[in-house]
């Protein structure tokens, strides 16, 4: 029955392909996590959390958001020109941050109260930004080509190399095995994505500077209306870890980061894979003048059901799961997870659907929301005298309200598009 269903629907088949690859990719860190959590302590996870947060805030805007435009051109030549432009922009964006960290690294550490252990990694962060943002451009090329199996293979290679490196390095001298493993994984992902893209019709031959410039100008709305808001949104997603590190001990940051890492697994398993297929599906539906809203509602109902199951499991068994699987020292992470689960549940539901704004070229609406979300998250800096539990409750409340509004906006965009088709 499942086979017949998948054969009838390319969309479901593509989602299944990406999810299968993602599940296999996530199995490695999932299986290694109970070991890694007993090798690296909360302070080391705290440093890793700060490192990942800095990268997460900057890499999201590393190619000025041209990545989302790669699926839109009507020819592969134009799409290839966009890929070239995105990689070049990623290089100069990363070079800019290298200069900033080189000149002002000490001041940045002092202003944000970072641990001194992060200092050595500041100059490595620009390289990580380049390979991550460039890999995203290449991944959208694979999505354009409907090469979802190749995209899944890339995820598997990244996670396999990252997890095994983190395990193999262990506590080597004064090095941070968690960070080194992450760098190795992202670098391997970039080179494999590049090879996969060349195998799927990506070509740089014969593409001139003027063609690259023409395509970048054609889709200038992406950086014009999406770069700054997207940067704000990325900052909003990772800022809580920076604020927690500022207000509380590095060990608390580590407990929070570990909780966030575990909660991110369902999003990585299903939500992001669905988003990548959905953006291609909506772009195709837009070209064929097909309705979108019924698909959005179906996906919403499925994701909501899965989110409710996750909430019930964490609320009833969260602490026991963390202490039994990861060790008694992560009991605090289990307690924090029982609060954070509501935030990640609504992100799990809404985040993959927001690709609607990119596919329908309605990024201005999304940008306005991102600015509002950034301002709301910025208010967390006013909660200095709260306990960590109170701090997280306010954080979750902001997320619930903000993402509910986001969902209403995307439904409105889809409804307006569908009504336009019927005319």
């Amino acid at each position: 029955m499942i086979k017949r269903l998948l054969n009838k629907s390319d969309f479901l088949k593509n989602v299944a392909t990406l999810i299968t690859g993602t599940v296999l990719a996530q199995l490695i860190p999932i299986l290694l996590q109970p070991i890694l959590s007993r090798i690296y302590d909360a302070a080391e996870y705290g440093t890793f959390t700060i490192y990942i947060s800095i990268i997460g805030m900057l890499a999201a805007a590393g190619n000025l958001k041209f990545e989302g435009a790669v699926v839109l051109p009507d020819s592969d030549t134009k799409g290839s020109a966009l890929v070239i432009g995105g990689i070049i922009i990623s290089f100069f964006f990363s070079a800019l941050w290298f200069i900033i960290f080189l000149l002002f690294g000490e001041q940045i550490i002092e202003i944000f109260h970072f641990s001194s252990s992060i200092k050595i990694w500041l100059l490595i962060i620009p390289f990580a930004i380049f390979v991550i943002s460039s890999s995203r451009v290449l991944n959208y090329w694979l999505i354009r080509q409907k090469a979802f199996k190749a995209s899944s293979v890339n995820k598997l290679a990244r996670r396999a190399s990252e997890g095994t490196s983190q395990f193999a390095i262990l506590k080597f001298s004064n090095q941070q095995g968690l960070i080194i493993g992450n760098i190795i994984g992202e670098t391997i992902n970039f080179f494999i994505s590049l090879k996969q893209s060349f195998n799927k019709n990506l070509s740089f031959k014969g593409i001139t500077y003027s063609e690259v410039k023409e395509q970048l100008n054609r889709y200038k709305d992406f950086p014009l209306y999406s770069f700054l808001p997207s940067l704000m949104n990325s900052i909003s997603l990772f800022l809580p870890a920076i604020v927690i590190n500022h207000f509380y001990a590095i060990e608390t940051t580590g407990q929070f980061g570990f909780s966030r890492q575990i909660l991110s697994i369902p999003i990585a398993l299903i939500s992001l894979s669905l988003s990548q297929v959905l953006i291609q599906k909506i772009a195709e539906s837009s070209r064929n003048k097909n309705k979108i809203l019924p698909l959005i509602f179906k996906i919403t109902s499925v994701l909501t059901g899965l989110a409710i199951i996750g909430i019930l499991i964490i609320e009833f068994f969260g602490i026991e799961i963390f202490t039994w699987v990861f060790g008694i020292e992560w009991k605090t992470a289990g307690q924090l997870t029982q609060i954070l689960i509501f935030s990640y549940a609504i992100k799990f539901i809404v985040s993959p659907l927001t690709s609607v704004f990119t596919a329908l070229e309605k990024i201005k609406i999304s940008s306005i929301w991102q600015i509002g979300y950034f301002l709301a998250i910025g208010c967390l800096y006013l909660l200095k005298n709260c306990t960590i539990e109170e701090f997280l409750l306010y954080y979750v409340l902001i997320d619930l309200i903000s993402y509910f509004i986001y969902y209403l906006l995307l439904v409105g965009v889809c409804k307006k598009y569908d009504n336009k088709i019927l005319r």
Side-chain angles (χ1 to χ4, degrees):
M1 182 181 69
I2 294 175
K3 186 176 181 180
R4 288 200 303 269
L5 181 62
L6 292 178
N7 287 337
K8 289 181 180 180
S9 173
D10 286 339
F11 177 73
L12 290 177
K13 187 175 182 179
N14 292 335
V15 171
T17 300
L18 270 182
I19 290 179
T20 300
T22 306
V23 168
L24 293 175
Q26 290 293 329
L27 277 178
I28 296 172
I30 289 174
L31 294 175
L32 284 177
Q33 205 56 245
I35 301 174
L36 296 177
S37 63
R38 288 171 169 83
I39 294 174
Y40 300 102
D41 58 28
E44 289 170 306
Y45 267 95
T47 300
F48 181 60
T49 298
I50 296 303
Y51 169 84
I52 289 296
S53 297
I54 296 173
I55 290 178
M57 288 188 288
L58 299 179
N63 51 61
L64 303 187
K65 302 309 294 180
F66 276 110
E67 60 192 59
V70 171
V71 300
L72 300 178
D74 55 11
S75 73
D76 283 350
T77 301
K78 294 177 181 179
S80 295
L82 271 177
V83 171
I84 295 174
I87 293 176
I88 292 175
I89 291 171
S90 296
F91 174 80
F92 284 106
F93 184 84
S94 303
L96 173 63
W97 281 103
F98 178 81
I99 295 173
I100 291 174
F101 288 138
L102 181 65
L103 297 178
F104 307 106
E106 293 283 355
Q107 292 88 332
I108 291 173
I109 292 174
E110 184 178 347
I111 291 173
F112 292 100
H113 293 187
F114 290 154
S115 169
S116 58
S117 58
I118 198 67
K119 180 179 179 180
I120 189 175
W121 303 108
L122 284 181
L123 296 181
I124 304 297
I125 287 175
F127 171 76
I129 292 172
F130 171 74
V131 295
I132 292 172
S133 58
S134 297
S135 296
R136 288 175 178 169
V137 175
L138 296 170
N139 188 55
Y140 271 89
W141 174 266
L142 295 177
I143 293 172
R144 173 187 175 84
Q145 301 299 321
K146 298 184 180 180
F148 300 107
K149 184 176 181 180
S151 181
S152 296
V153 169
N154 297 346
K155 294 177 183 178
L156 179 60
R158 172 183 173 266
R159 284 300 187 181
S161 55
E162 178 183 21
T164 53
S165 297
Q166 290 173 335
F167 175 73
I169 293 170
L170 302 178
K171 292 184 176 181
F172 177 70
S173 185
N174 293 323
Q175 302 299 312
Q176 236 291 355
L178 293 171
I179 295 178
I180 295 175
N182 179 263
I183 294 171
I184 292 174
E186 297 292 359
T187 303
I188 290 177
N189 180 47
F190 168 71
F191 284 109
I192 293 181
S193 297
L194 187 61
K195 183 179 183 300
Q196 294 269 31
S197 297
F198 283 135
N199 291 339
K200 297 296 181 180
N201 302 322
L202 177 65
S203 177
F204 295 164
K205 294 181 180 180
I207 297 179
T208 63
Y209 169 77
S210 60
E211 289 175 314
V212 174
K213 184 178 179 181
E214 179 183 351
Q215 290 307 306
L216 293 178
N217 185 64
R218 163 67 179 84
Y219 296 99
K220 63 184 178 181
D221 276 3
F222 281 79
L224 187 62
Y225 296 105
S226 187
F227 167 69
L228 185 57
S230 179
L231 181 61
M232 290 181 176
N233 186 48
S234 299
I235 292 174
S236 302
L237 293 175
F238 292 96
L239 184 62
I242 304 295
V243 179
I244 288 173
N245 180 75
H246 188 87
F247 290 160
Y248 309 97
I250 188 67
E251 290 78 9
T252 303
T253 305
Q255 296 281 352
F256 170 79
F258 189 81
S259 170
R260 186 177 67 176
Q261 185 175 342
I262 299 303
L263 285 172
S264 297
I265 291 175
I267 295 179
L269 287 175
I270 298 176
S271 190
L272 293 181
S273 298
L274 178 60
S275 174
Q276 292 172 352
V277 179
L278 185 61
I279 189 173
Q280 187 275 331
K281 178 67 175 180
I282 294 176
E284 186 179 88
S285 298
S286 177
R287 290 192 292 267
N288 296 331
K289 306 300 181 182
N290 295 328
K291 294 177 68 174
I292 295 173
L293 197 56
L295 176 64
I296 296 299
F297 284 149
K298 288 180 181 179
I299 296 174
T300 300
S301 61
V302 173
L303 293 179
T304 301
L306 293 174
I308 291 173
I309 293 173
I311 290 173
L312 293 176
I313 292 174
I314 293 299
E315 288 303 311
F316 285 103
F317 309 107
I319 296 177
E320 289 78 7
I321 291 174
F322 270 76
T323 55
W324 183 71
V325 177
F326 307 116
I328 189 64
E329 62 270 25
W330 298 104
K331 180 179 179 180
T332 300
Q335 294 170 335
L336 299 184
T337 301
Q338 290 182 323
I339 301 174
L340 290 170
I341 183 62
F342 296 97
S343 173
Y344 277 79
I346 194 166
K347 290 175 183 175
F348 175 80
I349 297 169
V350 178
S351 293
L353 303 177
T354 58
S355 55
V356 165
F357 296 109
T358 299
L360 297 181
E361 299 187 50
K362 297 294 184 180
I363 54 179
K364 293 180 183 179
I365 297 175
S366 179
S367 298
I368 293 173
W369 178 87
Q370 288 167 346
I371 293 172
Y373 183 57
F374 170 79
L375 295 175
I377 289 295
C379 294
L380 292 175
Y381 262 111
L382 304 176
L383 305 177
K384 184 175 182 179
N385 296 321
C386 292
T387 64
I388 183 63
E389 292 79 10
E390 292 171 337
F391 177 90
L392 293 182
L393 285 173
Y394 283 111
Y395 169 48
V396 169
L397 181 61
I398 290 173
D399 269 357
L400 290 175
I401 296 174
S402 298
Y403 275 86
F404 181 71
I405 294 173
Y406 209 7
Y407 182 78
L408 294 179
L409 289 173
L410 72 89
V411 168
V413 167
C414 293
K415 186 176 182 180
K416 185 176 181 180
Y417 173 80
D418 287 356
N419 291 337
K420 184 178 180 180
I421 291 177
L422 296 175
R423 293 175 184 173

